[in-house]
Amino acid sequence: MSLLTVGSVAFDKIETPFGKTDKIIGGAATYISLTASYFTKKNNLVGIVGADFPAEMIEIFRNHGVNTDGLEIDQNGKTFFWSGKYHNDMNSRDTLDTQLNVLDGYEPKLPEQYQDSEFLMLGNMVPAVQHATLNKFNKRPKFVMLDTMNLWMDIAMDDLKAVVSEIDCLTINDSEARQLSGDYSLRKAAKTIMAMGPKTLVIKKGEHGALLFQGDKIFFCPALPLEDVFDPTGAGDCFAGGFIGHLAKTDDLSFSNLKRAMIYGSAMASFCVEKFGTERMLNLSEKEISDRVMEFVQLASFEIS
Amino acid sequence: MSLLTVGSVAFDKIETPFGKTDKIIGGAATYISLTASYFTKKNNLVGIVGADFPAEMIEIFRNHGVNTDGLEIDQNGKTFFWSGKYHNDMNSRDTLDTQLNVLDGYEPKLPEQYQDSEFLMLGNMVPAVQHATLNKFNKRPKFVMLDTMNLWMDIAMDDLKAVVSEIDCLTINDSEARQLSGDYSLRKAAKTIMAMGPKTLVIKKGEHGALLFQGDKIFFCPALPLEDVFDPTGAGDCFAGGFIGHLAKTDDLSFSNLKRAMIYGSAMASFCVEKFGTERMLNLSEKEISDRVMEFVQLASFEIS
């Protein structure tokens, strides 16, 4: 099945306890598309960059089978830029700089040939823009997943709730789930959020794994304990890319396949943090991915006799 | 197999966002023994209380099959007292009051009939006292597990390392693992700690589950997401009680059985937090326990096709 990812394509400048980068390629849609490319070959990308965006990166997308017809290049603008510094625990970070640039006032355009995308991933963006993008489809995609962040809960909660009411699956982190629901207990938060619309909810807990909720069903997917985490940037997006990539590949929305999607998402996120930026996501082999998934099987499996 | 638990038997006074208690029964050995009683009927207890300790509680121990011959009653002393207040996130707490009372200068005595205990659980206590207790055995127990806390790392690190070098399994929480090892990565911390002596290590992460390490093997056991956590006091001890109780019951130290022990430990901890103090641990049925374990199976199981 084909997957359309809509979201930011960006420059990041990152500092972690392990070092710092110059301006490198980042952005939610970048991480999601690259990751999903290991699962489905029908990958469409909608986003915008400025004249400063390197042609080599667009070539990399294409080499990964990502269709970039929907990647607008604003010759008069500069690419969205984010700079951040992670604390020693790698779980919290300070934003040092954000320059919206071409994302300011951006309204995604949906190329005609993307209309039949069966899976839609709305990466973290202004909720009203996510909503407008969803409304551009003549026929609603089969599975719509959305990622968001605390900022939009602070400044655009009504818009966020409006788009959340129309999606199939929401993916947010634990503190965002608490903020969106007003419930501290994640089990209660999940009920409250699913009552807002999405039948399926993924609550990401970073190094502590992720929870999948659907109706009364819950699945817990661990994170792989790693020797070193170099850079957590993009881990959540790689999770989303692995998750929806697996679903698009298999076209199976059963709960047991959603569980597998969680494991693939967590496996892909575990690669992402091993290097700075997108580096680790550029040249993964099938064997590396299946070996990593087997590590999750080893990590999580037990039998009650 | 028989299990000997050594540790504090105490009064606690607890405040959580859900309410506060008067003086109630607490203490590591109390939680461990009560929990283990659901697994093995050969439960021995070594500890000390004062004249103020209620005879009814000793009766409750006996009714749970806990042999209290090793529970010293100091008629001239008062029972150890701890008072604490949990923050809203339930993951952190402030100690409001600690009165050592009879624990001050206490040296555990090992009744002759306890000498053949095959499984030994050294609950959190002064490390030198834990060590002295282990040395009282004519024949080393088959499996020795020890729990400790950050306080002893601050004020008695050498003593702690001395006893840790002689045990089979250490159970500590994630921040303590980082403090003991000096490593932030739990995977690195585990290697460092296992090099100190224990072949097996359990790192508890509270609501985020627990990790089991042995050599190169790792197992992750989730915590059950609960609607409400009323009182986390004793959860770690109930985990330890379920863990070592299952091992003593089955007398099987294979890694696959250690994994099961993790699940039983986590299940017992999930009961503990549902009520204040030991309340929930007093009257559990076999069915409640097996149903709860099945919730863990549901929560954690997946198949990679």
Side-chain angles (χ1 to χ4, degrees), chain A residues 88-91 174 178 184-188 191 205 207-208 211 213 218-220 222 224-228 256 259-260 263-264 293 295-305, chain B residues 88-91 174 178 184-188 191 205 207-208 211 213 218-220 222 224-228 256 259-260 263-264 293 295-305:
Chain A
N88 279 336
D89 67 4
M90 289 282 197
N91 278 328
D174 44 358
R178 287 172 172 138
Y184 186 79
S185 153
L186 294 182
R187 195 147 178 175
K188 282 187 180 171
K191 278 189 188 173
K205 307 203 300 170
E207 62 160 322
H208 300 302
L211 286 158
F213 295 89
I218 311 181
F219 172 65
F220 179 82
L224 196 68
L226 295 166
E227 295 249 341
D228 289 303
S256 53
K259 294 201 283 187
R260 276 189 284 275
I263 300 292
Y264 279 102
V293 166
E295 285 193 63
F296 278 82
V297 173
Q298 292 295 325
L299 179 69
S301 61
F302 64 92
E303 275 177 31
I304 295 297
S305 52
Chain B
N88 278 336
D89 67 4
M90 290 281 199
N91 278 328
D174 44 359
R178 287 171 172 138
Y184 186 80
S185 153
L186 293 182
R187 197 149 177 171
K188 282 186 178 169
K191 278 189 188 174
K205 307 202 299 171
E207 62 160 325
H208 300 302
L211 286 157
F213 296 89
I218 311 181
F219 171 65
F220 178 82
L224 195 67
L226 294 167
E227 296 247 341
D228 290 303
S256 52
K259 294 202 282 187
R260 276 190 283 275
I263 299 292
Y264 279 101
V293 166
E295 284 192 63
F296 279 82
V297 173
Q298 291 295 326
L299 179 70
S301 62
F302 63 92
E303 275 177 28
I304 295 297
S305 52

Side-chain angles (χ1 to χ4, degrees), chain B residues 180-199:
Chain B
L180 180 58
S181 65
D183 295 313
Y184 186 80
S185 153
L186 293 182
R187 197 149 177 171
K188 282 186 178 169
K191 278 189 188 174
T192 305
I193 293 168
M194 287 188 288
M196 295 175 183
K199 287 213 174 93

Side-chain angles (χ1 to χ4, degrees), chain B residues 224-300:
Chain B
L224 195 67
L226 294 167
E227 296 247 341
D228 290 303
V229 170
F230 276 93
D231 174 16
T233 310
D237 294 313
C238 290
F239 176 91
F243 183 90
I244 200 163
H246 174 75
L247 294 180
K249 175 187 178 180
T250 53
D251 192 27
D252 172 0
L253 295 173
S254 67
F255 194 70
S256 52
N257 199 46
L258 289 169
K259 294 202 282 187
R260 276 190 283 275
M262 294 283 287
I263 299 292
Y264 279 101
S266 198
M268 299 309 278
S270 76
F271 286 121
C272 177
V273 302
E274 290 179 340
K275 302 265 182 185
F276 277 103
T278 57
E279 187 180 345
R280 194 72 177 91
M281 309 316 286
L282 297 180
N283 290 298
L284 287 167
S285 69
E286 269 188 39
K287 181 165 186 328
E288 278 178 299
I289 296 171
S290 62
D291 284 354
R292 184 60 59 95
V293 166
M294 283 315 295
E295 284 192 63
F296 279 82
V297 173
Q298 291 295 326
L299 179 70

Side-chain angles (χ1 to χ4, degrees), chain A residues 4-10 26-30 33 43-50 53 58 61 66-75 78-80 100-111 114 120-125 129 133 136:
Chain A
L4 169 58
T5 301
V6 186
S8 59
V9 177
T30 304
S33 291
N43 254 301
N44 300 321
L45 173 63
V46 161
I48 188 167
V49 293
F53 196 76
I58 296 177
F61 279 129
V66 178
N67 181 315
T68 57
D69 293 354
L71 183 63
E72 220 177 308
I73 301 172
D74 180 346
Q75 295 297 350
K78 287 175 70 182
T79 302
F80 171 62
L100 276 184
N101 297 331
V102 293
L103 271 190
D104 193 9
Y106 169 60
E107 202 194 317
K109 295 177 190 63
L110 193 63
Y114 286 8
L120 173 62
M121 177 68 217
L122 297 164
N124 175 36
M125 266 197 312
V129 174
T133 309
K136 285 184 195 300

Side-chain angles (χ1 to χ4, degrees), chain B residues 166-180:
Chain B
E166 294 189 21
I167 62 170
D168 298 294
C169 179
L170 176 66
T171 159
I172 47 179
N173 72 31
D174 44 359
S175 66
E176 290 158 356
R178 287 171 172 138
Q179 184 175 355
L180 180 58

